[in-house]
Amino acid sequence: MKTIKEKKACQRLRKSAKTRRLTQRKPSSGPVCRLCFQEPGDPDKLGEFLQKDNLSVHYFCLILSSKLPQRGQSNRGFHGFLPEDIKKEVARASRKVCFVCKKKGAAIKCQKDQCLKNFHLPCGQERGCLSQFFGEYKSFCEKHRPTQDIQQGNVGEESCVLCCEELSQASVENIQSPCCSQTVYHRTCIQKYAYTSAKHFFKCPHCNNREEFPQEMLRMGIHIPDRDAAWELEPGAFSELYQRYQHCDAPVCLHEQGRDSFEDEGRWSRILCATCGSHGTHRDCSFLRSNNKKWECEECAPSAEATGPHPGYHIALSHHVSLGSSWL
């Protein structure tokens, strides 16, 4: 077992290693965010990368910048953030030094009273800072961020409900449900779940709570997009619902061109089950008159044992046998 001094030494080494990675990044040849000087990166962590009129920024850097007002309508500038205001914020941030990478341009400040720490969004994320995506969009350094009282026993014995993997020993990488107090998740798993389900479908995965759970996740820095769920935004996600059934399910199909061929009207027009709409027939194959628009499939109609087969079924079958079964 490591002593307390050895554990603190390991933590200092990890922090210094992260700082070296941040300060030794090679300059990018492509567009970078004017508020954090990083490339587009992961949109789940930094938001959409916005570019317009030789100005490029991460969406999260915009909404989390400490002194940047949103004075325009949503269709102006960058989601209501005007280019002239962004440039003023860049000039202000150029005088602020990031406490992580020690470079200037840190537009985000810890909102704890009397805390003077400023940081770039990517630097703060690597160091354990937290940003809230509601209300005043506050950010906090790793010492003043909101915390939860997660019992160590839950971490050591339980696994994440969403991925079924072991929980991290680092408390900042886990997040506890407010409604199911014994349930702990990986922060990354909850964030992915929030991006997929979005605001209208986001709820506790364990008990379906829609009130306490979203509020606590917002307090703990989870970004919940205000849009439709991801599965509703996929192109053609529900296209199959707009396709009508195209198959004749009659016991014997009389159409020479087969069960999947239909005409717009007449003997070989398509009639769908009036109850389920999931089965169909040619008009002639079920002996329907031209003025009869209602038909039910075998699954929805009364059982054959009770009603017996249609009187024309045996005639159709003998007629079909005489013609051959190549088009059945």
XYZ file of all heavy atoms in Angstrom, residues 104-137:
267
model
N -1.302 32.785 -22.334
C -2.345 33.793 -22.321
C -3.526 33.374 -23.211
O -3.449 32.420 -23.962
C -1.790 35.141 -22.778
C -0.784 35.749 -21.809
C -0.329 37.124 -22.286
C 0.634 37.747 -21.273
N 1.068 39.090 -21.700
N -4.614 34.136 -23.093
C -5.800 33.871 -23.912
C -6.858 33.068 -23.183
O -7.753 32.505 -23.820
N -6.789 33.003 -21.860
C -7.749 32.216 -21.083
C -9.025 33.029 -20.865
O -9.042 33.981 -20.095
C -7.136 31.808 -19.744
N -10.102 32.645 -21.534
C -11.340 33.436 -21.502
C -12.292 33.000 -20.404
O -13.294 33.679 -20.156
C -12.047 33.325 -22.858
N -12.025 31.893 -19.734
C -12.944 31.365 -18.720
C -12.348 31.569 -17.329
O -11.177 31.242 -17.105
C -13.227 29.866 -18.967
C -13.801 29.659 -20.370
C -14.180 29.313 -17.917
C -13.996 28.213 -20.741
N -13.161 32.082 -16.413
C -12.705 32.345 -15.043
C -13.538 31.533 -14.056
O -14.741 31.377 -14.224
C -12.828 33.824 -14.718
C -12.356 34.209 -13.309
C -12.565 35.681 -13.053
C -12.069 36.072 -11.664
N -12.800 35.376 -10.592
N -12.888 31.036 -13.026
C -13.599 30.347 -11.956
C -14.556 31.326 -11.281
O -14.161 32.437 -10.904
C -12.624 29.775 -10.934
S -13.430 28.980 -9.516
N -15.819 30.903 -11.118
C -16.851 31.803 -10.591
C -16.934 31.814 -9.067
O -17.803 32.473 -8.501
C -18.206 31.408 -11.181
C -18.290 31.600 -12.678
C -18.054 33.041 -13.088
O -18.758 33.945 -12.636
N -17.060 33.268 -13.941
N -16.066 31.076 -8.408
C -16.030 31.115 -6.956
C -15.490 32.472 -6.509
O -14.493 32.976 -7.042
C -15.143 29.990 -6.412
C -15.007 29.951 -4.896
C -16.318 29.571 -4.229
C -16.121 29.422 -2.732
N -17.378 29.075 -2.046
N -16.151 33.066 -5.529
C -15.717 34.382 -5.033
C -14.255 34.349 -4.614
O -13.807 33.413 -3.934
C -16.595 34.805 -3.850
C -18.024 35.078 -4.272
O -18.247 35.285 -5.475
O -18.913 35.060 -3.400
N -13.513 35.358 -5.036
C -12.112 35.574 -4.680
C -11.146 34.565 -5.327
O -9.950 34.614 -5.056
C -11.929 35.544 -3.156
C -12.721 36.638 -2.439
C -12.526 36.626 -0.945
O -11.948 35.697 -0.379
N -12.995 37.675 -0.274
N -11.648 33.677 -6.177
C -10.743 32.789 -6.917
C -10.313 33.501 -8.188
O -11.142 34.021 -8.943
C -11.429 31.469 -7.256
S -10.331 30.304 -8.122
N -9.041 33.523 -8.455
C -8.496 34.277 -9.589
C -8.065 33.391 -10.752
O -7.430 33.875 -11.693
C -7.296 35.106 -9.113
C -7.585 36.096 -7.974
C -6.298 36.801 -7.556
C -8.655 37.111 -8.389
N -8.395 32.132 -10.710
C -7.931 31.211 -11.752
C -8.697 31.412 -13.058
O -9.931 31.477 -13.083
C -8.080 29.765 -11.289
C -7.079 29.362 -10.214
C -7.226 27.887 -9.865
C -6.183 27.462 -8.827
N -6.324 26.033 -8.471
N -7.933 31.514 -14.156
C -8.479 31.562 -15.513
C -7.954 30.355 -16.271
O -6.863 29.849 -15.977
C -8.060 32.849 -16.218
C -8.631 34.089 -15.556
O -9.747 34.500 -15.814
N -7.842 34.705 -14.675
N -8.711 29.907 -17.262
C -8.241 28.750 -18.025
C -8.906 28.680 -19.401
O -9.975 29.263 -19.624
C -8.503 27.434 -17.258
C -9.912 27.254 -16.774
C -10.860 26.599 -17.553
C -10.303 27.724 -15.523
C -12.162 26.416 -17.104
C -11.601 27.544 -15.064
C -12.530 26.885 -15.857
N -8.215 27.997 -20.328
C -8.818 27.634 -21.609
C -9.730 26.434 -21.361
O -9.441 25.614 -20.491
C -7.745 27.252 -22.637
C -6.707 28.303 -22.866
N -5.404 28.185 -22.405
C -6.781 29.494 -23.504
C -4.715 29.247 -22.762
N -5.521 30.061 -23.428
N -10.780 26.298 -22.130
C -11.720 25.206 -21.909
C -11.055 23.823 -21.991
O -11.238 23.005 -21.075
C -12.886 25.301 -22.898
C -13.939 24.198 -22.777
C -14.557 24.183 -21.381
C -15.025 24.383 -23.844
N -10.250 23.522 -23.033
C -9.613 22.196 -23.079
C -8.659 21.965 -21.911
O -8.584 20.851 -21.379
C -8.865 22.193 -24.422
C -9.515 23.261 -25.235
C -9.942 24.293 -24.253
N -7.940 23.002 -21.503
C -7.010 22.868 -20.374
C -7.770 22.572 -19.088
O -7.385 21.706 -18.299
C -6.199 24.150 -20.203
S -5.144 24.565 -21.614
N -8.869 23.305 -18.877
C -9.662 23.093 -17.679
C -10.259 21.694 -17.630
O -10.320 21.070 -16.567
N -10.687 21.186 -18.771
C -11.263 19.841 -18.803
C -10.235 18.786 -18.419
O -10.559 17.822 -17.717
C -11.831 19.552 -20.191
C -13.087 20.362 -20.518
C -13.568 20.175 -21.934
O -12.833 19.701 -22.807
N -14.807 20.545 -22.197
N -9.010 18.957 -18.858
C -7.963 17.980 -18.514
C -7.554 18.082 -17.051
O -7.118 17.094 -16.453
C -6.744 18.181 -19.419
C -7.000 17.788 -20.863
C -5.708 17.441 -21.585
O -4.758 16.985 -20.925
O -5.649 17.650 -22.808
N -7.701 19.256 -16.457
C -7.292 19.440 -15.079
C -8.418 19.131 -14.078
O -8.189 19.072 -12.887
C -6.782 20.864 -14.872
C -6.270 21.189 -13.477
C -5.186 20.232 -12.992
N -3.959 20.352 -13.748
C -2.984 21.204 -13.475
N -3.091 22.033 -12.461
N -1.901 21.225 -14.217
N -9.640 18.912 -14.561
C -10.735 18.589 -13.656
C -11.650 19.751 -13.354
O -12.454 19.680 -12.407
N -11.575 20.837 -14.123
C -12.502 21.951 -13.938
C -13.897 21.545 -14.427
O -14.038 20.561 -15.158
C -12.014 23.182 -14.710
S -10.379 23.766 -14.183
N -14.896 22.302 -14.047
C -16.273 21.948 -14.392
C -17.021 23.166 -14.893
O -16.892 24.260 -14.326
C -16.981 21.344 -13.175
C -18.415 20.856 -13.356
C -18.691 19.633 -12.481
C -19.429 21.968 -13.016
N -17.810 22.976 -15.946
C -18.639 24.051 -16.499
C -20.092 23.600 -16.507
O -20.390 22.438 -16.773
C -18.194 24.399 -17.929
O -16.872 24.900 -17.934
N -20.979 24.538 -16.199
C -22.408 24.247 -16.166
C -23.098 24.836 -17.390
O -22.851 25.990 -17.745
C -23.028 24.809 -14.884
C -22.482 24.174 -13.617
C -23.028 24.827 -12.360
O -23.364 26.014 -12.350
N -23.117 24.056 -11.281
N -23.980 24.049 -18.004
C -24.626 24.460 -19.249
C -26.092 24.823 -19.009
O -26.996 24.279 -19.641
C -24.485 23.354 -20.291
C -23.065 23.081 -20.679
C -22.303 22.154 -19.988
C -22.476 23.766 -21.735
C -20.982 21.908 -20.337
C -21.157 23.535 -22.097
C -20.407 22.605 -21.393
N -26.306 25.747 -18.090
C -27.641 26.271 -17.830
C -27.491 27.589 -17.076
O -26.405 27.912 -16.563
C -28.471 25.273 -17.000
C -28.037 25.169 -15.565
C -28.716 25.857 -14.569
C -26.940 24.390 -15.196
C -28.325 25.767 -13.236
C -26.538 24.292 -13.866
C -27.231 24.985 -12.893
N -28.586 28.350 -17.004
C -28.558 29.595 -16.231
C -27.489 30.557 -16.699
O -27.502 31.016 -17.847
N -26.529 30.856 -15.820
C -25.458 31.803 -16.128
C -24.232 31.131 -16.743
O -23.229 31.794 -16.969
C -25.050 32.545 -14.848
C -26.185 33.361 -14.232
C -25.757 34.059 -12.953
O -24.549 34.045 -12.641
O -26.627 34.622 -12.271
N -24.298 29.852 -17.002
C -23.195 29.097 -17.627
C -21.883 29.321 -16.857
O -20.880 29.763 -17.403
C -23.037 29.493 -19.098
C -24.189 28.998 -19.954
C -25.365 29.729 -20.035
C -24.103 27.799 -20.640
C -26.441 29.268 -20.789
C -25.168 27.332 -21.393
C -26.335 28.070 -21.464
O -27.397 27.609 -22.202
